[in-house]
């Protein structure tokens, strides 16, 4: 009895507390209403004073409504002039547009608005007929503005007082009731508590229902109704859900009551059509579930709430409610997830939280599908992803470790989303088809989720091993084929993603770890079969796309690249990681084979992707080959014999050349014309480098240069025949390397075959190649004709050939004896140069003559290594001098060429034209040196005098002015020597002999010059 | 105008390939030398430097009398521990005289001196002054080997290697700039150091020529070098892994040895072997006196020829 009395007192206090603000609000609103009516009356009076004016104000499109068109009193006050409407009143031409309300900010437009174009100028008003009219207009404007001010102030005040406060009051009521219930729990039994709560809720609800008949108290009525419904729902929930207030043990009854209250709430809310009320009511309801202990009943209550909320949202198109419902439901389930043993008290079919979770998901999914079918967007598009996140989040949050059965859950979710996809497709079409942007709530999202969930399920089910690969591969393939069949590109994109995941998995998790599998009796790495099958699938898919003529997606264009990458990895893994008895070099070779196959594919079928892949794989193959050759200690045992790792260079080089043949051969690939030359050059460089390296490894040192020269011959020959400029440049590069190689291993080589030195046998052919190349480059019949830099190379190769030949002679004959060979070569080159008109050959001859002279001067023809009797200094020197004079005699007289050279080119031409004199000087000087070395000191002057006289005789006989000049020079030297040296150092007989002989010679020369003076003037 | 057919030029070009292949096949049938080094390049460079140097040196003509005078001064200032009373002296004089009989510069009088030293060495000074240590005399095992050693040192004089080092100073003294000549010797030593080892190779060749001309077995020329190589050994470099490494190694080695006064022993052996084979191909160099017993008994071949020592 005391409890009831105490409860009644408390109830009265609570009601008083609750009613006080409402009464105050009602009084204030009543005063406001009176004030509003008064203003309206004043405004009407003012308008009546204005209307009898003589002339109508020429207003255009006046937006001032008539007084009788104003909204009825009590409705939300509207501004006199709607925001944004134009009021066609006179205004300064440059001033801001007419304002509806006094600006709270300066009249200058906001910075972000300054960029906006100015509004078009208002049409100018016609001339005002009288000053009186102007005054009226001004008064009218003033009144309008003041009225707008008042209307605005009234509006926000009314909103705060009539709407916000009521909602706040409702919320306070709910809190107060909750507090009161909590307090009453300490003093009352379940029945008392429920009774109090029901009384409070019923009172509030009744108050609301009663007040809503008056429009002026509508907001208050809404607040009371919301509070009443919220309290009622909490109370009914507490009647079973809270132990302190449990008076209903039957969950079915409790649930029925709860549903009834919810239904009433929904009906009432829908009747009133006030979203705020609905929001408050549902917030209260969800809060009630939250504050209760976790149980299946709470979860079910939550689901029921969410269901009703979805119905409301669907009926009224309040998608925000649906989103809030999803968030609240999953949030409550996350924190109040029912334990499995707690569910036995409720329906057996819904005995687990997981079932409740699925029910929630289904409910939201159905709602989302329905909304998608209606084509509604907005914030409702977030439902689908929120639903997914809620489902997975709650499930993962409450799934007991070690997550047994989670894979099946994910699979089930995937299946559910697959069904959802089908449903969405059937009800809403395929919004993402034909390249349209996928909607977030459309079938694209559903099928994407399904694919992801299925992949995750597979991953959890088969965390390692080939089953995971097969599963992902099947999923990707199914998606791809469905995409092809349905013409749905999104599925193909998903397939590409799954393929990408599969590839990443291969690379990241499966390549390096060990593990084997036996397939057909062959032991392979565990991932090899799946990788090969995936590669095959990728290739087949690419072929299907090509066959169906479908445009490729971004990922699909990489399908064959991925397949090639897989095969490349498989080859690398099988050949290297698992060894298979071979070395790292086999990896490079195997990759080259793959590259060659791809290149064949590219060439035969004009398959650009295969071409690019072939090039990539070929470049990749070079890495292990380079490593093997950089670290030659990588020896492995094959067949019991130690084989150097470079042995695989042979077949690898063969493969490189086979690829290079497809790049440079007659049926070369022409799919990527802009990039093809660079790529083919790179491959050809690799092939050439490999060939050179192979020769270096496999052949003895002196034969390397020979092999390289042979390679250059082949490269140049093919470069001309194909034609392919790149190959020709390869030949030039290889030949340059060959020349360098000669200095390392051939010139000092001491090997012999019979009587032939290996130096001669290896350098000689290289010289022939060099000269042959020079001749071919100078050949005007060469097709295609070489141009530019290649043409300049002709003389260069000629020079190099000559230099190599001279160096060969130097090492073959020795430092001294080589002058004989050089002199002979010089004569030959001079003859050839003059007959062929080749300045290059002539200049080579000049240079050789100069070098021969210098070497002879320095050595004095003393050659200890020479054969006795055959090439003693006199004979050797005589031969060299003879060659020089022979060259002089072979040269034409210097009657050609520029007389006064002004440029380096002209200077060279002038020197070349006077080569006859050049050879005469060299021959004369070298003969004098020979005489100095070989003639006894006492007879030297006489010998030199004879030389000078002989030169004069020959100079007259030929006739040759150069020889005559040389003869005179020698005679002059003799005279000088006679007076400065012989007088002091020679013995008397030699001195006398020298004087007499030289005197006779000088006299004879003088006689000849005197006797044949007229004829000498005409001699050259 | 009808274009001439291309096939002759093409055929000739591809014929080069046949030539190259044939040459390679011939090489493979012979005794292949697998040595690699940058000696050829440095030797060619040394030739160039030497040509330039010797052309200028040849302008300074030093008479044999002047060279012998300088040699005597150097011997007097050297302070070598010569042992004229050594039992080897007469033997060395006899062998040296036989070898020196075939020199090119006839105006030089050669004098052989035995130096008491365990070091295996021999050297020559301008003017025909040849020194040989008792260590060297004990190291060689035949008169032919000694003849080659003496011939090598005689060749340094005969080829003017010995006087070349002094020519600059002599030229400066002639024009009254002796001090400048001494200052100029240092950079010239650096310049000539590049080809000094090629002078050694030249002296090897000339020494072989002199010893062979004196009737000794040319094969004995390489025996001391082989014995030296076996005694001291020479570092053997491992074959590099690629051509680039080979080239870099060869250049580095060649650059390091460029300024060495003496070439690597194995290089001298190879040169001499090649020269001996070449001379045999010319019909010379077969046979020859060895004189092992003569050397053991310090009895020169000129005094007695043992019948089992080869020779004529």
């Amino acid at each position: 009895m005391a409890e009831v009395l105490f409860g009644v007192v408390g109830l009265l206090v609570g009601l008083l507390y609750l009613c006080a603000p409402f009464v105050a609000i009602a009084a204030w609103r009543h005063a406001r209403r009176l004030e509003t009516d008064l203003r309206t009356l004043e405004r009407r009076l003012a308008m009546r004073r204005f209307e009898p004016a003589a002339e109508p104000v020429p207003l255009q499109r006046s937006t001032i409504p008539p007084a009788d068109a104003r909204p009825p009193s009590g409705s939300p006050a509207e501004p006199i002039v709607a925001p944004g409407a134009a009021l066609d009143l006179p205004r300064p031409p440059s001033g801001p547009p007419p304002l509806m309300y006094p600006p709270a900010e300066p009249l200058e437009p906001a910075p972000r608005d300054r960029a906006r174009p100015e509004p078009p100028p208002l049409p100018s008003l016609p001339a005002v007929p009288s000053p009186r009219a102007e005054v009226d207009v001004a008064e009218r404007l003033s009144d309008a503005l003041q009225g707008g001010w008042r209307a605005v102030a009234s509006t926000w005040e009314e909103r705060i007082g009539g709407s916000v406060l009521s909602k706040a009051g409702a919320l306070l009521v709910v809190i107060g009731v909750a507090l009161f219930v909590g307090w009453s729990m300490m003093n009352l039994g379940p029945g008392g508590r429920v009774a109090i709560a029901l009384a409070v809720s019923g009172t509030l609800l009744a108050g609301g229902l009663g007040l809503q008949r008056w429009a002026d108290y509508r907001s208050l009525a809404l607040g009371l109704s919301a509070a009443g419904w919220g309290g009622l729902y909490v109370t009914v929930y507490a009647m079973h859900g809270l132990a302190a207030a449990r008076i209903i043990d039957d969950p079915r009854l409790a649930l029925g009551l709860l549903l009834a209250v919810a239904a009433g709430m929904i009906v009432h809310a829908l009747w009133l059509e006030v979203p705020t009320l609905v929001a408050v009511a549902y917030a209260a309801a969800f809060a009630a579930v939250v504050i209760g202990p976790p149980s299946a009943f709470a979860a079910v209550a939550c689901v029921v709430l969410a269901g009703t909320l979805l119905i409301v949202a669907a009926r009224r198109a309040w998608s925000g409610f649906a989103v809030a419902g999803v968030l609240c439901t999953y949030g409550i389930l996350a924190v109040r997830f029912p334990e499995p043993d707690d569910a036995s008290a409720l329906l057996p079919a819904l005995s687990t939280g997981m079932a409740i979770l699925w029910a929630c998901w289904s409910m939201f999914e159905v709602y989302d599908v329905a909304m998608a079918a209606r084509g509604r967007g907005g914030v409702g598009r977030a439902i689908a992803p929120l639903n997914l996140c809620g489902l997975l989040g709650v499930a993962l949050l409450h799934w007991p470790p070690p997550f047994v059965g989670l894979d099946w859950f994910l699979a089930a979710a995937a299946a559910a989303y697959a069904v959802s996809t089908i449903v969405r497709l059937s009800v809403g079409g395929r919004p993402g088809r034909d390249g349209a942007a996928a909607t977030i709530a459309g079938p694209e999202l559903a099928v994407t989720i399904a694919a992801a969930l299925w992949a995750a399920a597979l991953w959890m089910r088969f965390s390692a091993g080939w089953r995971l690969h097969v599963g992902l591969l099947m999923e990707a393939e199914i998606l791809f084929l469905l995409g092809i069949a349905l013409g749905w590109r999104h599925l193909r994109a998903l397939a590409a993603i799954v393929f990408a995941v599969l590839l990443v998995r291969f690379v990241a998790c499966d390549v390096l770890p060990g593990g084997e599998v036996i397939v057909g009796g062959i032991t392979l790495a565990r991932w090899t079969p799946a990788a090969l099958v995936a590669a095959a699938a990728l290739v087949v898919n690419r072929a299907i796309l090509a066959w169906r003529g479908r445009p490729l997606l971004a990922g699909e264009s990489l399908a064959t690249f991925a397949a090639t990458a897989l095969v490349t990895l498989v080859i690398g893994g099988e050949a290297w990681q698992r060894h298979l008895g071979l070395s790292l070099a086999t990896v490079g070779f195997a990759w080259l084979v793959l590259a060659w196959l791809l290149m064949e594919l590219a060439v035969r079928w004009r398959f650009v992707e295969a071409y690019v892949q072939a090039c990539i794989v070929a470049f990749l193959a070079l890495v292990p080959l380079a490593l093997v050759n950089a670290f030659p200690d990588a020896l492995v045992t094959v067949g019991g014999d130690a084989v150097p790792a470079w042995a695989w260079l042979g077949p690898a080089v063969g493969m490189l050349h086979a690829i290079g043949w497809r790049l440079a051969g007659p049926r070369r690939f022409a799919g990527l014309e802009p990039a093809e030359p660079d790529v083919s050059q790179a491959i050809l460089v690799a092939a050439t480098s490999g060939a050179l390296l192979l020769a270096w490894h496999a052949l003895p040192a002196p034969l390397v240069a020979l092999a390289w020269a042979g390679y250059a011959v082949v490269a140049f020959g093919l470069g001309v025949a194909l034609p392919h400029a790149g190959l020709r440049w390869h030949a030039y590069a290889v030949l340059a390397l060959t020349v360098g190689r000669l200095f390392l291993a051939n010139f000092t080589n001491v090997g012999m075959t019979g009587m032939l030195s290996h130096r001669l046998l290896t350098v000689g052919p290289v010289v022939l190649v060099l000269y042959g190349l020079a001749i071919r480059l100078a050949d005007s019949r060469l097709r295609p004709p070489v141009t530019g830099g290649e043409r300049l190379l002709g003389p260069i190769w000629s020079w190099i050939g000559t230099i190599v030949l001279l160096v060969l002679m130097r090492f073959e004959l020795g430092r001294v004896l080589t002058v004989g060979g050089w002199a002979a070569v010089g004569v030959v080159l001079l003859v050839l140069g003059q007959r062929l008109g080749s300045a290059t050959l002539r200049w080579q001859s000049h240079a050789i003559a100069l070098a021969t002279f210098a070497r002879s001067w320095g050595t004095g023809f003393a050659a200890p290594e020479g054969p006795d009797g055959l090439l003693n200094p006199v004979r050797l020197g005589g031969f060299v001098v003879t060659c020089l004079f022979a060259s002089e005699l072979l040269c034409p007289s210097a009657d050609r060429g520029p007389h006064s050279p002004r440029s380096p080119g002209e200077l060279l031409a002038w020197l070349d034209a006077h080569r006859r004199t050049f050879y005469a000087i060299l021959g004369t000087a070298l003969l004098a040196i020979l005489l100095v070395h070989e003639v006894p000191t006492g007879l030297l002057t006489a010998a030199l005098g004879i030389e000078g006289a002989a030169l004069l005789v020959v100079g007259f006989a030929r006739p040759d002015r150069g020889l005559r000049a040389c003869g005179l020079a020698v005679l002059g030297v003799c005279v000088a020597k006679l007076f400065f040296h012989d007088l002091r150092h020679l013995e008397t007989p030699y001195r006398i002999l020298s004087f007499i002989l030289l005197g006779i010679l000088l006299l004879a020369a003088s006689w000849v010059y005197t006797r044949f003076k007229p004829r000498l003037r005409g001699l050259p | 105008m009808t274009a001439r057919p291309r096939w002759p030029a093409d055929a000739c070009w591809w014929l080069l390939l046949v030539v190259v292949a044939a040459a390679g096949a011939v090489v493979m049938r012979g005794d292949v030398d697998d040595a690699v080094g940058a000696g050829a390049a440095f030797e060619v460079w040394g030739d160039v430097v030497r040509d330039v140097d010797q052309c200028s040196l040849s302008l300074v003509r030093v008479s044999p009398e002047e060279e012998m005078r300088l040699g005597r001064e150097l011997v007097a200032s050297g302070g070598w521990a010569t042992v004229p009373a050594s039992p080897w002296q007469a033997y060395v004089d006899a062998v040296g005289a036989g070898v020196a009989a075939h020199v090119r510069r006839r105006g030089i009088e050669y004098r052989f001196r035995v130096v008491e030293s365990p070091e295996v060495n021999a050297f020559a000074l301008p003017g025909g002054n040849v020194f040989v240590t008792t260590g060297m005399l004990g190291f060689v095992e035949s008169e032919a080997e000694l003849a080659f050693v003496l011939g090598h040192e005689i060749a340094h004089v005969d080829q003017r290697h010995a006087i070349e080092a002094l020519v600059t100073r002599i030229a400066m003294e002639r024009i009254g700039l002796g001090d400048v000549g001494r200052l100029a010797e240092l950079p010239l030593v650096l310049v000539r150091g590049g080809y000094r080892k090629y002078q050694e190779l030249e002296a090897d060749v000339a020494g072989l020529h002199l010893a062979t001309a004196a009737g000794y077995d040319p094969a004995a020329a390489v025996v001391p070098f082989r014995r030296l190589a076996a005694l001291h050994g020479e570092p053997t470099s491992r074959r590099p892994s690629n051509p680039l490494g080979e080239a870099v190694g060869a250049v580095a080695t060649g650059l390091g040895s460029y300024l060495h006064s003496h070439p690597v022993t194995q290089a001298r052996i190879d040169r001499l072997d090649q020269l001996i084979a070449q001379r045999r191909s010319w019909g010379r160099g077969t046979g020859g006196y060895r004189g092992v017993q003569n050397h053991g008994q310090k009895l020169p071949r000129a005094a007695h020829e043992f019948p089992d020592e080869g020779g004529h």
Side-chain angles (χ1 to χ4, degrees), chain A residues 714-733:
Chain A
V714 174
F716 183 81
L718 290 176
V720 171
L722 287 175
H724 194 281
L727 282 177
R728 295 200 298 274
W729 281 101
H730 278 229
Y732 306 146

Side-chain angles (χ1 to χ4, degrees), chain A residues 828-838 841-842 915:
Chain A
V828 172
L829 290 176
L830 181 66
V831 171
L832 289 175
Q834 292 185 158
R835 292 194 62 182
L836 301 175
S838 170
L841 293 180
R842 290 199 304 274
R915 57 184 177 273

Side-chain angles (χ1 to χ4, degrees), chain A residues 324-361:
Chain A
V326 173
L327 291 173
C328 291
T329 303
Y330 282 116
I332 290 170
L333 287 177
V335 300
R336 289 290 186 264
F337 195 76
E339 297 300 329
D341 54 352
D342 181 68
S344 59
L346 200 60
L347 300 175
L350 304 174
S351 59
T352 64
M354 204 53 64
I356 296 171
L357 190 61
W358 277 113
C360 282
W361 177 85

Side-chain angles (χ1 to χ4, degrees), chain B residues 80-130:
Chain B
W80 287 282
T82 57
V83 279
S86 168
W88 288 106
Q89 186 63 55
Y91 177 65
V92 171
D93 284 340
V95 175
V99 174
H102 303 275
V103 297
R104 186 174 172 223
R105 298 168 63 198
R106 297 293 182 183
I108 301 293
E109 294 177 5
Y110 288 90
R111 295 193 64 184
F112 303 95
R113 304 167 197 272
V114 176
V115 178
E116 188 65 41
S117 169
E119 186 182 1
V120 180
N121 197 10
F123 56 94
L125 294 179
N129 297 287
V130 176

Side-chain angles (χ1 to χ4, degrees), chain B residues 199-271:
Chain B
Q199 289 182 338
E200 293 296 326
L201 295 175
E202 270 188 8
D204 284 346
V205 174
L208 175 65
H209 167 72
L210 292 174
T212 307
Y216 291 102
D217 182 10
V222 295
V223 175
F225 289 121
R226 288 209 170 95
R227 203 176 298 129
L228 271 176
L231 188 65
H232 300 294
E234 288 184 348
T236 56
S237 60
R238 188 179 168 194
R239 196 188 184 201
S241 61
N242 54 66
L244 184 62
E246 183 185 68
V248 171
V251 171
T253 306
L255 198 61
S257 64
Y258 179 65
L259 296 178
H260 286 183
S261 61
H262 285 68
V264 181
T265 306
Q266 188 58 45
R268 303 174 77 170
I269 294 172
D270 293 341
R271 288 287 181 101

Side-chain angles (χ1 to χ4, degrees), chain A residues 15-39:
Chain A
L15 286 175
L16 184 62
Y17 168 76
L18 288 173
C19 291
F22 293 129
V23 171
I25 290 170
W28 179 77
R29 284 181 62 84
H30 186 69
R32 291 294 304 163
R33 183 188 169 203
L34 292 176
E35 184 183 353
T36 303
D37 292 342
L38 183 59
R39 280 203 310 271

